[in-house]
Amino acid sequence: MTLLVLVVMTALAFDFTNGFHDTGNAMATSIATRALKPKTAVTLSAVLNLVGAFLSLAVAATIAKGIVDANVITLEVVLAGLVGGIVWNLLTWLFGIPSSSSHALVGGMVGAVLAAVGTSGVIWSGVVSKVALPALIAPTLAIFVSAVGTWLVARITRTVPAEAQDKAFRWGQIGSASLVSLAHGTNDAQKSMGIILLALIAAGQAGPDSSVPFWVIVSCAGFMALGTYLGGWRVIRTLGKGLVEIDTRQGMAAETSSAAVIFMSSYFGFSLSTTHVATGSVMGSGVGMPGAHVRWGVAKKMFLAWIVTLPAAGIVGAACYAIQHFIGGAMGSIVVFALLIGVSAWMFMHSRRAPINANNVNDDWDGDAEPAVDGESAAPSASVAAATTAQDPAEVATLVSVGAGLDNVHDFVPSDDNYEMRGQK
């Protein structure tokens, strides 16, 4: 029973990291365009994530019974898989990379099962049809839908004054961002529910055909909402400022596209990545908006992270199971849990060197040296200016690397000229 409690605690910790890691999926563009204040945005997202968790259990069933063979699952396997998912979530959050919490969890579980019983414990048809194919289709579909939607909006509103556009679409963004948060709750909150159900089945506390208990639904929804409220500001900054300098028309088109794709996948029980969908929609808004500029260097880093998420989390999950098996008994699980706490604490302390929070999440993006839109020259950032006067090469590298996280940098405020440039010509 002690090990079961430890597994449930770890599953809820994963839901917490999922919440703050994926807040940007719903609210990054609304924060970037100032349709919502940062704290207001994460509060609204948390409430709607909580509500969405009660609307569907199709994805929970997919995680519990469609990826790995429940008959070979033990509590040690579940714990190892969860640790693999959490470690990858925290690592990508530390670097501000919008990666998939869903794939981190699936990768961790698959890696732990492979280490425990080999390939026979993985339902490969489920991995392909429920995880791999949606991972390819969903972001592609989101890019296309968002690009078309953005182009249509820009075309229809090309004669409308920029100020009128801004005011109207800010209200539209509040509605569309709310839809994404609700959709996120119907999909991502279900994954830890499925994992806890697996643990209950493995511990003999539930039958193989059992549905998710109500206390599990409430607990997972609550922890995800709490994580969402705290806000994953590093990922929010990358999605809102790093890919595209976005305006309200693009923001509404991107959010609406994301919500549509996520709701559709939840209906069919596909465990897709809401991060992939949201990122694809943001990129699509840049592709579809005349004059907009997508920072493909930032996008490339995201794509690389997406590719390695499943195997990287799987390696961590397999290693954690190996540690448990080598030490043996409850002590092995305690050691793995202690390692998780230590790694998590180290990443948190490391993140404080260059903090991103609600006060500086909308600062100018200077983490990518691509040219400005339409050949305009970009003003040098504070970090680069300081680096040019530094004598020590290590000091130069430090100043440049943390420049995006410095507080008290003047906020970027879209001007009417920006709107004119992007769609009014």
Side-chain angles (χ1 to χ4, degrees), residues 209-278:
D209 297 323
S210 299
S211 58
V212 180
F214 183 73
W215 69 267
V216 174
I217 299 174
V218 173
S219 300
C220 290
F223 271 81
M224 172 166 280
L226 179 60
T228 302
Y229 173 74
L230 292 179
W233 301 111
R234 307 177 85 84
V235 178
I236 290 174
R237 175 166 171 76
T238 301
L239 267 178
K241 304 292 291 184
L243 277 173
V244 181
E245 289 293 353
I246 203 164
D247 70 17
T248 53
R249 294 171 297 169
Q250 293 168 270
M252 182 176 172
E255 291 160 357
T256 304
S257 302
S258 296
V261 174
I262 295 169
F263 273 126
M264 183 174 64
S265 69
S266 295
Y267 177 79
F268 288 107
F270 291 140
S271 178
L272 59 66
S273 165
T274 56
T275 300
H276 290 185
V277 174

Short mmCIF file of all heavy atoms in Angstrom, two decimals, residues 209-278:
data_model
loop_
_atom_site.label_atom_id
_atom_site.label_comp_id
_atom_site.label_asym_id
_atom_site.label_seq_id
_atom_site.Cartn_x
_atom_site.Cartn_y
_atom_site.Cartn_z
N ASP A 209 -11.33 -4.18 -15.98
CA ASP A 209 -12.33 -3.45 -16.77
C ASP A 209 -12.92 -2.26 -16.00
O ASP A 209 -13.96 -1.72 -16.39
CB ASP A 209 -13.47 -4.39 -17.19
CG ASP A 209 -12.98 -5.51 -18.10
OD1 ASP A 209 -12.09 -5.24 -18.93
OD2 ASP A 209 -13.48 -6.65 -17.96
N SER A 210 -12.25 -1.85 -14.95
CA SER A 210 -12.78 -0.77 -14.12
C SER A 210 -12.68 0.57 -14.83
O SER A 210 -11.79 0.79 -15.65
CB SER A 210 -12.02 -0.69 -12.79
OG SER A 210 -12.16 -1.89 -12.06
N SER A 211 -13.58 1.47 -14.49
CA SER A 211 -13.51 2.84 -14.99
C SER A 211 -12.73 3.69 -13.98
O SER A 211 -12.42 3.24 -12.87
CB SER A 211 -14.91 3.42 -15.18
OG SER A 211 -15.63 3.39 -13.96
N VAL A 212 -12.42 4.90 -14.37
CA VAL A 212 -11.63 5.77 -13.50
C VAL A 212 -12.48 6.20 -12.29
O VAL A 212 -13.56 6.75 -12.46
CB VAL A 212 -11.16 7.02 -14.27
CG1 VAL A 212 -10.34 7.93 -13.36
CG2 VAL A 212 -10.35 6.62 -15.49
N PRO A 213 -12.00 5.96 -11.07
CA PRO A 213 -12.75 6.38 -9.88
C PRO A 213 -12.90 7.90 -9.81
O PRO A 213 -12.04 8.64 -10.30
CB PRO A 213 -11.90 5.86 -8.71
CG PRO A 213 -11.06 4.77 -9.29
CD PRO A 213 -10.79 5.19 -10.71
N PHE A 214 -13.95 8.35 -9.17
CA PHE A 214 -14.23 9.78 -9.10
C PHE A 214 -13.14 10.53 -8.35
O PHE A 214 -12.77 11.64 -8.74
CB PHE A 214 -15.59 10.01 -8.43
CG PHE A 214 -15.99 11.46 -8.37
CD1 PHE A 214 -16.40 12.13 -9.52
CD2 PHE A 214 -15.95 12.16 -7.17
CE1 PHE A 214 -16.76 13.46 -9.48
CE2 PHE A 214 -16.31 13.50 -7.12
CZ PHE A 214 -16.71 14.15 -8.27
N TRP A 215 -12.59 9.94 -7.28
CA TRP A 215 -11.55 10.63 -6.53
C TRP A 215 -10.30 10.85 -7.37
O TRP A 215 -9.58 11.84 -7.18
CB TRP A 215 -11.20 9.88 -5.24
CG TRP A 215 -10.50 8.56 -5.42
CD1 TRP A 215 -11.06 7.32 -5.50
CD2 TRP A 215 -9.08 8.36 -5.54
NE1 TRP A 215 -10.10 6.36 -5.67
CE2 TRP A 215 -8.87 6.97 -5.68
CE3 TRP A 215 -7.98 9.20 -5.53
CZ2 TRP A 215 -7.60 6.41 -5.82
CZ3 TRP A 215 -6.70 8.64 -5.67
CH2 TRP A 215 -6.54 7.27 -5.82
N VAL A 216 -10.05 9.94 -8.31
CA VAL A 216 -8.91 10.10 -9.21
C VAL A 216 -9.16 11.28 -10.15
O VAL A 216 -8.25 12.10 -10.40
CB VAL A 216 -8.67 8.81 -10.01
CG1 VAL A 216 -7.57 9.03 -11.06
CG2 VAL A 216 -8.28 7.67 -9.07
N ILE A 217 -10.38 11.39 -10.68
CA ILE A 217 -10.72 12.50 -11.57
C ILE A 217 -10.53 13.84 -10.86
O ILE A 217 -9.92 14.77 -11.39
CB ILE A 217 -12.17 12.36 -12.07
CG1 ILE A 217 -12.35 11.06 -12.86
CG2 ILE A 217 -12.57 13.56 -12.94
CD1 ILE A 217 -13.79 10.78 -13.26
N VAL A 218 -11.06 13.93 -9.64
CA VAL A 218 -10.98 15.18 -8.88
C VAL A 218 -9.52 15.53 -8.57
O VAL A 218 -9.09 16.68 -8.73
CB VAL A 218 -11.80 15.08 -7.58
CG1 VAL A 218 -11.58 16.30 -6.71
CG2 VAL A 218 -13.28 14.90 -7.90
N SER A 219 -8.74 14.54 -8.15
CA SER A 219 -7.35 14.80 -7.77
C SER A 219 -6.52 15.25 -8.97
O SER A 219 -5.77 16.25 -8.89
CB SER A 219 -6.73 13.53 -7.17
OG SER A 219 -7.43 13.12 -6.02
N CYS A 220 -6.65 14.54 -10.08
CA CYS A 220 -5.86 14.90 -11.28
C CYS A 220 -6.26 16.27 -11.81
O CYS A 220 -5.40 17.08 -12.18
CB CYS A 220 -6.04 13.84 -12.36
SG CYS A 220 -5.27 12.25 -11.98
N ALA A 221 -7.56 16.53 -11.85
CA ALA A 221 -8.03 17.84 -12.32
C ALA A 221 -7.50 18.96 -11.43
O ALA A 221 -7.07 20.02 -11.92
CB ALA A 221 -9.55 17.86 -12.36
N GLY A 222 -7.53 18.74 -10.12
CA GLY A 222 -7.07 19.77 -9.19
C GLY A 222 -5.59 20.07 -9.30
O GLY A 222 -5.17 21.23 -9.31
N PHE A 223 -4.76 19.01 -9.42
CA PHE A 223 -3.32 19.23 -9.51
C PHE A 223 -2.93 19.88 -10.83
O PHE A 223 -2.02 20.71 -10.88
CB PHE A 223 -2.57 17.91 -9.31
CG PHE A 223 -2.26 17.62 -7.87
CD1 PHE A 223 -3.23 17.08 -7.03
CD2 PHE A 223 -1.02 17.93 -7.33
CE1 PHE A 223 -2.95 16.82 -5.70
CE2 PHE A 223 -0.73 17.67 -6.00
CZ PHE A 223 -1.71 17.12 -5.17
N MET A 224 -3.62 19.50 -11.91
CA MET A 224 -3.32 20.15 -13.18
C MET A 224 -3.71 21.62 -13.13
O MET A 224 -2.98 22.49 -13.63
CB MET A 224 -4.04 19.46 -14.34
CG MET A 224 -3.92 20.22 -15.66
SD MET A 224 -4.40 19.27 -17.09
CE MET A 224 -2.92 18.31 -17.34
N ALA A 225 -4.86 21.92 -12.54
CA ALA A 225 -5.29 23.31 -12.43
C ALA A 225 -4.32 24.12 -11.59
O ALA A 225 -4.01 25.28 -11.92
CB ALA A 225 -6.69 23.37 -11.82
N LEU A 226 -3.80 23.54 -10.52
CA LEU A 226 -2.83 24.24 -9.68
C LEU A 226 -1.55 24.55 -10.45
O LEU A 226 -1.02 25.67 -10.40
CB LEU A 226 -2.49 23.40 -8.45
CG LEU A 226 -1.47 23.99 -7.47
CD1 LEU A 226 -1.96 25.33 -6.92
CD2 LEU A 226 -1.18 23.00 -6.34
N GLY A 227 -1.06 23.55 -11.21
CA GLY A 227 0.13 23.79 -12.02
C GLY A 227 -0.10 24.85 -13.08
O GLY A 227 0.76 25.68 -13.35
N THR A 228 -1.30 24.83 -13.67
CA THR A 228 -1.64 25.83 -14.69
C THR A 228 -1.65 27.22 -14.09
O THR A 228 -1.17 28.19 -14.70
CB THR A 228 -3.02 25.52 -15.30
OG1 THR A 228 -3.00 24.20 -15.86
CG2 THR A 228 -3.39 26.51 -16.38
N TYR A 229 -2.20 27.36 -12.88
CA TYR A 229 -2.28 28.66 -12.24
C TYR A 229 -0.90 29.25 -11.98
O TYR A 229 -0.69 30.46 -12.14
CB TYR A 229 -3.06 28.56 -10.93
CG TYR A 229 -3.04 29.85 -10.14
CD1 TYR A 229 -3.81 30.93 -10.54
CD2 TYR A 229 -2.24 29.98 -9.01
CE1 TYR A 229 -3.78 32.14 -9.84
CE2 TYR A 229 -2.20 31.16 -8.30
CZ TYR A 229 -2.98 32.24 -8.72
OH TYR A 229 -2.94 33.42 -8.02
N LEU A 230 0.06 28.41 -11.60
CA LEU A 230 1.40 28.91 -11.31
C LEU A 230 2.09 29.40 -12.59
O LEU A 230 2.95 30.27 -12.55
CB LEU A 230 2.24 27.83 -10.64
CG LEU A 230 1.79 27.47 -9.21
CD1 LEU A 230 2.68 26.39 -8.64
CD2 LEU A 230 1.81 28.70 -8.31
N GLY A 231 1.70 28.85 -13.74
CA GLY A 231 2.17 29.37 -15.02
C GLY A 231 3.58 28.94 -15.38
O GLY A 231 4.51 29.20 -14.64
N GLY A 232 3.72 28.28 -16.52
CA GLY A 232 5.04 27.91 -17.03
C GLY A 232 5.57 29.04 -17.88
O GLY A 232 5.60 28.96 -19.11
N TRP A 233 6.05 30.10 -17.25
CA TRP A 233 6.35 31.35 -17.95
C TRP A 233 7.43 31.18 -19.00
O TRP A 233 7.44 31.89 -20.02
CB TRP A 233 6.74 32.43 -16.94
CG TRP A 233 5.68 32.70 -15.93
CD1 TRP A 233 5.70 32.41 -14.59
CD2 TRP A 233 4.40 33.31 -16.17
NE1 TRP A 233 4.52 32.78 -14.00
CE2 TRP A 233 3.70 33.35 -14.94
CE3 TRP A 233 3.77 33.81 -17.31
CZ2 TRP A 233 2.43 33.86 -14.82
CZ3 TRP A 233 2.49 34.33 -17.19
CH2 TRP A 233 1.83 34.36 -15.96
N ARG A 234 8.35 30.27 -18.81
CA ARG A 234 9.43 30.08 -19.77
C ARG A 234 8.87 29.58 -21.10
O ARG A 234 9.29 30.03 -22.18
CB ARG A 234 10.47 29.11 -19.21
CG ARG A 234 10.98 29.49 -17.82
CD ARG A 234 11.94 28.46 -17.28
NE ARG A 234 13.28 28.71 -17.75
CZ ARG A 234 14.13 29.57 -17.18
NH1 ARG A 234 13.76 30.28 -16.13
NH2 ARG A 234 15.34 29.73 -17.65
N VAL A 235 7.94 28.62 -21.03
CA VAL A 235 7.34 28.09 -22.25
C VAL A 235 6.36 29.10 -22.85
O VAL A 235 6.27 29.24 -24.07
CB VAL A 235 6.64 26.75 -21.95
CG1 VAL A 235 5.97 26.20 -23.21
CG2 VAL A 235 7.63 25.73 -21.41
N ILE A 236 5.63 29.81 -22.00
CA ILE A 236 4.71 30.85 -22.48
C ILE A 236 5.48 31.88 -23.29
O ILE A 236 5.04 32.33 -24.36
CB ILE A 236 3.99 31.53 -21.30
CG1 ILE A 236 2.98 30.56 -20.67
CG2 ILE A 236 3.27 32.80 -21.75
CD1 ILE A 236 2.32 31.09 -19.41
N ARG A 237 6.65 32.26 -22.82
CA ARG A 237 7.45 33.27 -23.52
C ARG A 237 7.88 32.76 -24.90
O ARG A 237 7.80 33.50 -25.89
CB ARG A 237 8.67 33.63 -22.68
CG ARG A 237 9.63 34.57 -23.39
CD ARG A 237 10.64 35.17 -22.44
NE ARG A 237 11.67 35.89 -23.17
CZ ARG A 237 11.52 37.09 -23.73
NH1 ARG A 237 10.34 37.70 -23.64
NH2 ARG A 237 12.49 37.68 -24.38
N THR A 238 8.32 31.52 -24.98
CA THR A 238 8.76 30.99 -26.27
C THR A 238 7.62 30.93 -27.27
O THR A 238 7.77 31.32 -28.43
CB THR A 238 9.36 29.58 -26.09
OG1 THR A 238 10.46 29.65 -25.18
CG2 THR A 238 9.85 29.03 -27.41
N LEU A 239 6.46 30.44 -26.83
CA LEU A 239 5.32 30.33 -27.74
C LEU A 239 4.77 31.70 -28.12
O LEU A 239 4.37 31.92 -29.27
CB LEU A 239 4.21 29.49 -27.09
CG LEU A 239 4.20 28.00 -27.38
CD1 LEU A 239 3.06 27.32 -26.63
CD2 LEU A 239 4.08 27.72 -28.87
N GLY A 240 4.72 32.63 -27.17
CA GLY A 240 4.10 33.92 -27.43
C GLY A 240 5.00 34.91 -28.13
O GLY A 240 4.53 35.75 -28.90
N LYS A 241 6.33 34.83 -27.88
CA LYS A 241 7.25 35.82 -28.42
C LYS A 241 8.32 35.22 -29.33
O LYS A 241 8.89 35.92 -30.15
CB LYS A 241 7.94 36.57 -27.28
CG LYS A 241 7.01 37.25 -26.30
CD LYS A 241 6.27 38.40 -26.93
CE LYS A 241 7.18 39.55 -27.25
NZ LYS A 241 6.43 40.73 -27.78
N GLY A 242 8.63 33.94 -29.15
CA GLY A 242 9.77 33.36 -29.84
C GLY A 242 9.52 32.92 -31.26
O GLY A 242 10.42 32.99 -32.11
N LEU A 243 8.31 32.43 -31.57
CA LEU A 243 8.04 31.92 -32.90
C LEU A 243 7.64 33.02 -33.88
O LEU A 243 8.16 33.10 -34.99
CB LEU A 243 6.92 30.87 -32.84
CG LEU A 243 7.33 29.46 -32.46
CD1 LEU A 243 6.09 28.59 -32.28
CD2 LEU A 243 8.25 28.86 -33.51
N VAL A 244 6.69 33.85 -33.46
CA VAL A 244 6.15 34.90 -34.32
C VAL A 244 5.82 36.10 -33.45
O VAL A 244 5.34 35.93 -32.33
CB VAL A 244 4.84 34.43 -35.02
CG1 VAL A 244 4.31 35.52 -35.95
CG2 VAL A 244 5.07 33.14 -35.80
N GLU A 245 6.10 37.32 -33.95
CA GLU A 245 5.59 38.51 -33.28
C GLU A 245 4.12 38.62 -33.70
O GLU A 245 3.80 39.05 -34.80
CB GLU A 245 6.39 39.75 -33.69
CG GLU A 245 7.79 39.80 -33.13
CD GLU A 245 7.82 39.96 -31.62
OE1 GLU A 245 6.74 40.16 -31.01
OE2 GLU A 245 8.91 39.87 -31.03
N ILE A 246 3.26 38.22 -32.80
CA ILE A 246 1.88 37.93 -33.15
C ILE A 246 0.97 39.11 -32.85
O ILE A 246 1.19 39.84 -31.89
CB ILE A 246 1.42 36.65 -32.41
CG1 ILE A 246 0.26 35.97 -33.10
CG2 ILE A 246 1.11 36.96 -30.95
CD1 ILE A 246 0.05 34.56 -32.61
N ASP A 247 -0.06 39.32 -33.68
CA ASP A 247 -1.08 40.31 -33.37
C ASP A 247 -2.38 39.61 -33.01
O ASP A 247 -2.47 38.38 -33.03
CB ASP A 247 -1.24 41.34 -34.50
CG ASP A 247 -1.88 40.76 -35.76
OD1 ASP A 247 -2.49 39.68 -35.70
OD2 ASP A 247 -1.77 41.40 -36.82
N THR A 248 -3.41 40.38 -32.67
CA THR A 248 -4.63 39.79 -32.14
C THR A 248 -5.36 38.94 -33.17
O THR A 248 -6.00 37.94 -32.82
CB THR A 248 -5.57 40.89 -31.61
OG1 THR A 248 -5.76 41.88 -32.64
CG2 THR A 248 -4.99 41.56 -30.38
N ARG A 249 -5.29 39.31 -34.44
CA ARG A 249 -5.95 38.51 -35.47
C ARG A 249 -5.30 37.14 -35.57
O ARG A 249 -5.99 36.11 -35.64
CB ARG A 249 -5.88 39.24 -36.82
CG ARG A 249 -6.66 40.53 -36.88
CD ARG A 249 -6.35 41.29 -38.16
NE ARG A 249 -4.94 41.68 -38.22
CZ ARG A 249 -4.36 42.17 -39.30
NH1 ARG A 249 -5.06 42.31 -40.42
NH2 ARG A 249 -3.10 42.53 -39.28
N GLN A 250 -3.98 37.12 -35.57
CA GLN A 250 -3.27 35.85 -35.60
C GLN A 250 -3.55 35.03 -34.35
O GLN A 250 -3.73 33.81 -34.41
CB GLN A 250 -1.77 36.10 -35.72
CG GLN A 250 -1.33 36.71 -37.03
CD GLN A 250 0.10 37.19 -36.95
OE1 GLN A 250 0.35 38.34 -36.59
NE2 GLN A 250 1.05 36.32 -37.25
N GLY A 251 -3.58 35.71 -33.20
CA GLY A 251 -3.81 35.01 -31.94
C GLY A 251 -5.15 34.31 -31.91
O GLY A 251 -5.25 33.14 -31.52
N MET A 252 -6.19 34.99 -32.35
CA MET A 252 -7.52 34.39 -32.34
C MET A 252 -7.59 33.22 -33.33
O MET A 252 -8.16 32.17 -33.02
CB MET A 252 -8.57 35.43 -32.68
CG MET A 252 -9.99 34.88 -32.65
SD MET A 252 -11.24 36.15 -32.95
CE MET A 252 -12.71 35.12 -33.10
N ALA A 253 -6.99 33.39 -34.51
CA ALA A 253 -7.01 32.31 -35.51
C ALA A 253 -6.25 31.08 -34.99
O ALA A 253 -6.71 29.94 -35.14
CB ALA A 253 -6.39 32.79 -36.81
N ALA A 254 -5.10 31.30 -34.35
CA ALA A 254 -4.31 30.19 -33.84
C ALA A 254 -5.04 29.44 -32.72
O ALA A 254 -5.08 28.21 -32.70
CB ALA A 254 -2.96 30.71 -33.33
N GLU A 255 -5.62 30.19 -31.80
CA GLU A 255 -6.31 29.57 -30.67
C GLU A 255 -7.55 28.80 -31.12
O GLU A 255 -7.82 27.69 -30.63
CB GLU A 255 -6.68 30.64 -29.64
CG GLU A 255 -5.48 31.22 -28.92
CD GLU A 255 -5.77 32.57 -28.29
OE1 GLU A 255 -6.91 33.06 -28.46
OE2 GLU A 255 -4.88 33.13 -27.64
N THR A 256 -8.30 29.36 -32.05
CA THR A 256 -9.48 28.68 -32.54
C THR A 256 -9.10 27.38 -33.26
O THR A 256 -9.76 26.34 -33.08
CB THR A 256 -10.28 29.59 -33.50
OG1 THR A 256 -10.60 30.81 -32.83
CG2 THR A 256 -11.56 28.93 -33.95
N SER A 257 -8.04 27.42 -34.04
CA SER A 257 -7.57 26.22 -34.73
C SER A 257 -7.15 25.15 -33.73
O SER A 257 -7.48 23.97 -33.89
CB SER A 257 -6.40 26.57 -35.65
OG SER A 257 -6.77 27.54 -36.60
N SER A 258 -6.41 25.56 -32.70
CA SER A 258 -5.96 24.60 -31.68
C SER A 258 -7.14 23.93 -30.99
O SER A 258 -7.17 22.71 -30.82
CB SER A 258 -5.09 25.32 -30.64
OG SER A 258 -3.91 25.82 -31.20
N ALA A 259 -8.12 24.73 -30.59
CA ALA A 259 -9.28 24.18 -29.88
C ALA A 259 -10.01 23.17 -30.74
O ALA A 259 -10.42 22.10 -30.26
CB ALA A 259 -10.21 25.31 -29.46
N ALA A 260 -10.20 23.47 -32.02
CA ALA A 260 -10.93 22.57 -32.91
C ALA A 260 -10.22 21.22 -33.03
O ALA A 260 -10.85 20.15 -32.94
CB ALA A 260 -11.09 23.21 -34.28
N VAL A 261 -8.90 21.25 -33.22
CA VAL A 261 -8.14 20.01 -33.39
C VAL A 261 -8.12 19.20 -32.10
O VAL A 261 -8.28 17.97 -32.11
CB VAL A 261 -6.71 20.32 -33.86
CG1 VAL A 261 -5.86 19.05 -33.91
CG2 VAL A 261 -6.74 20.97 -35.24
N ILE A 262 -7.95 19.87 -30.95
CA ILE A 262 -7.87 19.15 -29.67
C ILE A 262 -9.22 18.53 -29.31
O ILE A 262 -9.30 17.37 -28.88
CB ILE A 262 -7.40 20.10 -28.55
CG1 ILE A 262 -5.97 20.57 -28.82
CG2 ILE A 262 -7.45 19.38 -27.20
CD1 ILE A 262 -5.52 21.69 -27.91
N PHE A 263 -10.31 19.28 -29.49
CA PHE A 263 -11.63 18.71 -29.20
C PHE A 263 -11.90 17.49 -30.07
O PHE A 263 -12.46 16.49 -29.61
CB PHE A 263 -12.72 19.77 -29.43
CG PHE A 263 -12.99 20.64 -28.24
CD1 PHE A 263 -12.95 22.02 -28.34
CD2 PHE A 263 -13.31 20.08 -27.01
CE1 PHE A 263 -13.20 22.83 -27.24
CE2 PHE A 263 -13.56 20.87 -25.90
CZ PHE A 263 -13.52 22.25 -26.01
N MET A 264 -11.52 17.55 -31.33
CA MET A 264 -11.75 16.44 -32.23
C MET A 264 -10.97 15.21 -31.77
O MET A 264 -11.49 14.09 -31.77
CB MET A 264 -11.35 16.81 -33.66
CG MET A 264 -11.63 15.73 -34.69
SD MET A 264 -11.30 16.28 -36.38
CE MET A 264 -9.53 16.57 -36.30
N SER A 265 -9.72 15.40 -31.37
CA SER A 265 -8.90 14.28 -30.92
C SER A 265 -9.42 13.68 -29.61
O SER A 265 -9.40 12.47 -29.42
CB SER A 265 -7.45 14.72 -30.75
OG SER A 265 -7.33 15.60 -29.66
N SER A 266 -9.90 14.54 -28.70
CA SER A 266 -10.46 14.04 -27.45
C SER A 266 -11.71 13.20 -27.71
O SER A 266 -11.95 12.19 -27.05
CB SER A 266 -10.80 15.21 -26.52
OG SER A 266 -9.64 15.91 -26.13
N TYR A 267 -12.50 13.61 -28.68
CA TYR A 267 -13.72 12.88 -29.02
C TYR A 267 -13.39 11.46 -29.48
O TYR A 267 -14.07 10.50 -29.12
CB TYR A 267 -14.49 13.63 -30.11
CG TYR A 267 -15.73 12.92 -30.58
CD1 TYR A 267 -16.91 12.95 -29.84
CD2 TYR A 267 -15.72 12.19 -31.77
CE1 TYR A 267 -18.05 12.29 -30.28
CE2 TYR A 267 -16.84 11.52 -32.22
CZ TYR A 267 -18.01 11.58 -31.46
OH TYR A 267 -19.12 10.91 -31.89
N PHE A 268 -12.30 11.33 -30.26
CA PHE A 268 -11.93 10.01 -30.78
C PHE A 268 -10.97 9.26 -29.86
O PHE A 268 -10.59 8.13 -30.16
CB PHE A 268 -11.28 10.16 -32.16
CG PHE A 268 -12.25 10.52 -33.25
CD1 PHE A 268 -12.26 11.80 -33.78
CD2 PHE A 268 -13.17 9.60 -33.71
CE1 PHE A 268 -13.16 12.15 -34.78
CE2 PHE A 268 -14.08 9.93 -34.71
CZ PHE A 268 -14.07 11.20 -35.24
N GLY A 269 -10.58 9.88 -28.74
CA GLY A 269 -9.71 9.20 -27.78
C GLY A 269 -8.25 9.20 -28.16
O GLY A 269 -7.48 8.39 -27.65
N PHE A 270 -7.83 10.10 -29.04
CA PHE A 270 -6.42 10.17 -29.43
C PHE A 270 -5.63 10.93 -28.38
O PHE A 270 -5.99 12.04 -28.00
CB PHE A 270 -6.26 10.86 -30.77
CG PHE A 270 -6.80 10.08 -31.94
CD1 PHE A 270 -7.48 10.72 -32.96
CD2 PHE A 270 -6.63 8.71 -32.01
CE1 PHE A 270 -7.98 9.99 -34.04
CE2 PHE A 270 -7.13 7.98 -33.08
CZ PHE A 270 -7.80 8.62 -34.09
N SER A 271 -4.51 10.33 -27.94
CA SER A 271 -3.66 10.97 -26.94
C SER A 271 -2.64 11.87 -27.65
O SER A 271 -1.44 11.63 -27.64
CB SER A 271 -2.93 9.92 -26.11
OG SER A 271 -2.07 10.51 -25.19
N LEU A 272 -3.14 12.93 -28.29
CA LEU A 272 -2.23 13.81 -29.00
C LEU A 272 -1.57 14.80 -28.05
O LEU A 272 -1.92 14.91 -26.89
CB LEU A 272 -2.94 14.56 -30.14
CG LEU A 272 -4.14 15.47 -29.85
CD1 LEU A 272 -3.77 16.69 -29.05
CD2 LEU A 272 -4.76 15.90 -31.17
N SER A 273 -0.60 15.49 -28.59
CA SER A 273 0.09 16.52 -27.82
C SER A 273 -0.57 17.87 -28.08
O SER A 273 -0.55 18.37 -29.21
CB SER A 273 1.56 16.58 -28.22
OG SER A 273 2.15 17.76 -27.74
N THR A 274 -1.14 18.46 -27.04
CA THR A 274 -1.70 19.80 -27.20
C THR A 274 -0.60 20.81 -27.51
O THR A 274 -0.84 21.83 -28.17
CB THR A 274 -2.45 20.22 -25.93
OG1 THR A 274 -1.57 20.13 -24.80
CG2 THR A 274 -3.65 19.33 -25.69
N THR A 275 0.63 20.52 -27.07
CA THR A 275 1.75 21.40 -27.38
C THR A 275 2.03 21.40 -28.88
O THR A 275 2.25 22.46 -29.49
CB THR A 275 3.01 20.95 -26.63
OG1 THR A 275 2.76 20.99 -25.23
CG2 THR A 275 4.19 21.85 -26.95
N HIS A 276 2.02 20.23 -29.50
CA HIS A 276 2.24 20.16 -30.94
C HIS A 276 1.17 20.94 -31.69
O HIS A 276 1.46 21.65 -32.65
CB HIS A 276 2.23 18.70 -31.40
CG HIS A 276 3.40 17.91 -30.96
ND1 HIS A 276 3.63 16.61 -31.35
CD2 HIS A 276 4.44 18.22 -30.13
CE1 HIS A 276 4.74 16.16 -30.81
NE2 HIS A 276 5.24 17.13 -30.05
N VAL A 277 -0.06 20.79 -31.24
CA VAL A 277 -1.17 21.48 -31.91
C VAL A 277 -1.04 22.99 -31.75
O VAL A 277 -1.15 23.75 -32.73
CB VAL A 277 -2.52 20.99 -31.35
CG1 VAL A 277 -3.67 21.81 -31.94
CG2 VAL A 277 -2.73 19.52 -31.65
N ALA A 278 -0.81 23.45 -30.52
CA ALA A 278 -0.72 24.89 -30.27
C ALA A 278 0.46 25.50 -31.01
O ALA A 278 0.35 26.58 -31.59
CB ALA A 278 -0.60 25.15 -28.77
#
